[in-house]
Amino acid sequence: MPRIAMFDAKQYDHDFFAQENRDHGYDISFFEAKLNPETAVLAEGFDTACVFVNDSVTREVADVFAGYGVKLLALRSAGYNHIDLDALKGRLDAVRVPAYSPHAVAEHALALILTLNRKTHRAYSRTRDSNFAISGLLGFDMHGKCAGVVGTGQIGRTMCEILRGLKMNVLAYDPYPADEWAQEHGVEYVKLTELYKRSDIVSLHCPLTPENVHMIDRSTIAMMKDGVMIVNTGRGKLIRTEDLLEALRSGKVGAAGLDVYEEETDFFFEDHSSNIITDDNLLRLLAYPNVLVTSHQAFFTREALTNIARITLENVRLYFDEGRIENPIPDFDAGTGRVNG
Ligand code: NAI
C-alpha cells in the first residue's frame, strides 16, 4: 500500500484528505513543515511525497527523496513552477491536479476587484468605528469598462465569463487563443501590448514560466492606463514588486489585488502576527490603502479542497496499482518507464 508523506499539511488538508482517503485507506503522514533540504528527510520510508505550492523541490530535495527511494512526487496544485524538473529526471515521477476549481480562483479575483473598486475593506473598518462618512470610498461602474485577462486557460476563461456577466468589455491574451470560445462569449483576443493599453483592470491568470517572470514591470506598467487596477491570482513572480510599488506611489497604478507575492514562501499560510515582518516590500504593500493582499487563498473553497484530495489520491492509486501517470506535468517525462495516461 502506498505510503504518503504530506508536506506543508494544515488541519484542512488533514480533514479533506481523511475524508477522501476512506475509499483508499492509504497510510498518510501529515507534516506541518514546509519542504526544504532539511525537512526532506521526513520522507524516509515513504514512496510518495505530496507537496503544495510553497514546497520547493530543488535538486538538493530531489537528491534526498531519490536517496530514500521516494518514487512519486504528488503535487496538490496545478502550477509546477516550484519543481526543478531536471532534477527529477530518471529518478522521480510527478503528478499534479491540473484543475480543481477554476471557479474558486476566478471568484476570488472578482472579490479582490470588487473590494478594491468599492473599497468595502475600508468601509468595513469605518462603520465598525461608527464612522459613516463615505468620502474617499468613491468607486466606478464596472459596466462598460474594459478588463484585460492574461491567460485564458480554465481559470482565465471562467474569469472572462464572470466579467462579461458584469457587462464589461473583455480583452484577452493567450499564446494559444481559444477562438471559438471567445466568439461565443464576446471576448476579444488582442496582443498583450494592446491589452495593457486598453484595460481598466488587468487580471493575471497565466502560469509562471521562465519567459514571463516579471512580465509586469516598469516598462509594461508604462503602457497601461493611468489608475489601472492590477490583479494577480497567478504567481507572485509575474510582477516585479519594486516596479509595482513605484507605480502605486506615483498613482500610475490605482489599485492592486494580490493573492500571490514574489517572496510569499517565507510568509504565506503562516501566522506572523507576533513577529516583525522583515520584508520591506511586503510591508510597503500592506501599508497602501489601495492594495489588498490575500495569502494565496484563491483556491481555498470546500469544493476545491475536496477535488484536490480526491484527484491526488486517485493519481497515487493509478500510479501504484496500474503503472499509469494520469495527470502528468506537461512535457515532462521522468524517463522511468511509467505511462502517461
Ligand atoms: P491552465 O493551464 O488551464 O491555463 C493557463 C493558460 O495560460 C493557458 O491557456 C496558456 O496557454 C496560457 N499561458 C501560458 N503562458 C502564457 C503567457 N506568457 N501569457 C499569457 N497566457 C499564457 O491553468 P489554470 O488552471 O487556468 O491556472 C492558471 C494559473 O493560475 C496556474 O498556472 C497557477 O499559477 C495559478 N493558480 C493560482 C491559484 C491560487 O490559489 N491563487 C490556484 C490555482 C492556480
Side-chain angles (χ1 to χ4, degrees):
M1 182 193 297
R3 296 197 67 211
I4 303 172
M6 188 176 298
F7 289 87
D8 201 4
K10 298 283 187 285
Q11 185 59 45
Y12 46 81
D13 295 305
H14 194 289
D15 294 346
F16 281 87
F17 271 84
Q19 172 87 7
E20 295 301 314
N21 194 30
R22 284 185 311 190
D23 296 341
H24 300 277
Y26 292 158
D27 181 356
I28 308 177
S29 289
F30 296 90
F31 298 119
E32 267 186 46
K34 278 202 185 79
L35 179 61
N36 60 45
E38 282 78 48
T39 60
V41 295
L42 291 167
E44 182 173 13
F46 293 87
D47 41 45
T48 302
C50 184
V51 301
F52 199 46
V53 291
N54 286 327
D55 293 315
S56 300
V57 181
T58 57
R59 180 164 290 280
E60 230 178 321
V61 166
D63 287 346
V64 176
F65 283 171
Y68 284 142
V70 173
K71 307 240 162 354
L72 182 66
L73 188 65
L75 278 58
R76 312 201 289 285
S77 60
Y80 48 88
N81 53 285
H82 51 306
I83 313 295
D84 180 342
L85 294 174
D86 274 346
L88 301 188
K89 285 236 167 84
R91 311 197 286 178
L92 275 93
D93 285 304
V95 287
R96 64 180 186 134
V97 184
Y100 38 85
S101 172
H103 308 287
V105 183
E107 288 169 15
H108 188 77
L110 178 70
L112 293 175
I113 292 172
L114 288 172
T115 305
L116 285 166
N117 176 16
R118 305 308 299 270
K119 303 173 178 63
T120 44
H121 56 312
R122 300 182 58 206
Y124 174 77
S125 320
R126 282 194 193 184
T127 54
R128 278 169 68 89
D129 195 29
S130 305
N131 176 357
F132 301 108
I134 60 169
S135 303
L137 304 184
L138 191 67
F140 59 87
D141 283 11
M142 288 171 63
H143 179 279
K145 296 292 184 311
C146 188
V149 172
V150 181
T152 53
Q154 318 219 33
I155 297 169
R157 282 201 294 255
T158 306
M159 187 66 185
C160 290
E161 290 168 26
I162 289 174
L163 297 172
R164 288 294 293 147
L166 294 171
K167 303 282 186 289
M168 294 192 80
N169 299 317
V170 178
L171 306 178
Y173 168 76
D174 195 298
Y176 303 98
D179 292 317
E180 217 172 288
W181 162 84
Q183 203 164 12
E184 188 186 331
H185 292 278
V187 171
E188 185 189 352
Y189 275 112
V190 292
K191 289 206 173 82
L192 192 53
T193 47
E194 189 178 341
L195 181 149
Y196 289 150
K197 279 183 194 147
R198 288 173 55 193
S199 300
D200 299 289
I201 299 169
V202 173
S203 193
L204 304 178
H205 300 284
C206 54
L208 179 69
T209 64
E211 294 74 42
N212 66 12
V213 171
H214 292 166
M215 64 188 289
I216 304 290
D217 66 3
R218 185 179 301 179
S219 65
T220 48
I221 290 173
M223 295 176 199
M224 295 183 194
K225 284 189 175 178
D226 291 344
V228 63
M229 182 191 295
I230 298 178
V231 176
N232 188 6
T233 58
R235 283 293 179 266
K237 281 199 185 333
L238 294 172
I239 298 182
R240 190 164 189 276
T241 310
E242 297 270 354
D243 293 0
L244 176 65
L245 281 163
E246 184 185 290
L248 282 160
R249 205 174 130 117
S250 71
K252 173 74 188 177
V253 170
L258 308 173
D259 186 51
V260 286
Y261 166 62
E262 282 202 78
E263 306 301 335
E264 70 178 51
T265 314
D266 294 339
F267 302 100
F268 282 16
F269 303 134
E270 306 299 334
D271 180 1
H272 285 276
S273 55
S274 303
N275 306 338
I276 303 295
I277 301 288
T278 49
D279 180 324
D280 286 348
N281 282 344
L282 180 58
L283 281 175
R284 286 168 70 199
L285 285 172
L286 296 174
Y288 280 103
N290 52 348
V291 174
L292 190 51
V293 175
T294 54
S295 186
H296 207 134
Q297 69 169 82
F299 75 99
F300 199 51
T301 65
R302 271 190 290 280
E303 292 75 8
L305 288 187
T306 302
N307 289 334
I308 289 171
R310 186 177 49 77
I311 296 166
T312 301
L313 292 176
E314 186 59 8
N315 282 342
V316 171
R317 187 189 74 74
L318 288 167
Y319 182 81
F320 287 102
D321 287 4
E322 299 182 18
R324 276 209 290 141
I325 296 172
E326 179 64 13
N327 289 305
I329 290 177
D331 302 326
F332 173 68
D333 178 358
T336 59
R338 297 275 168 161
V339 180
N340 283 354

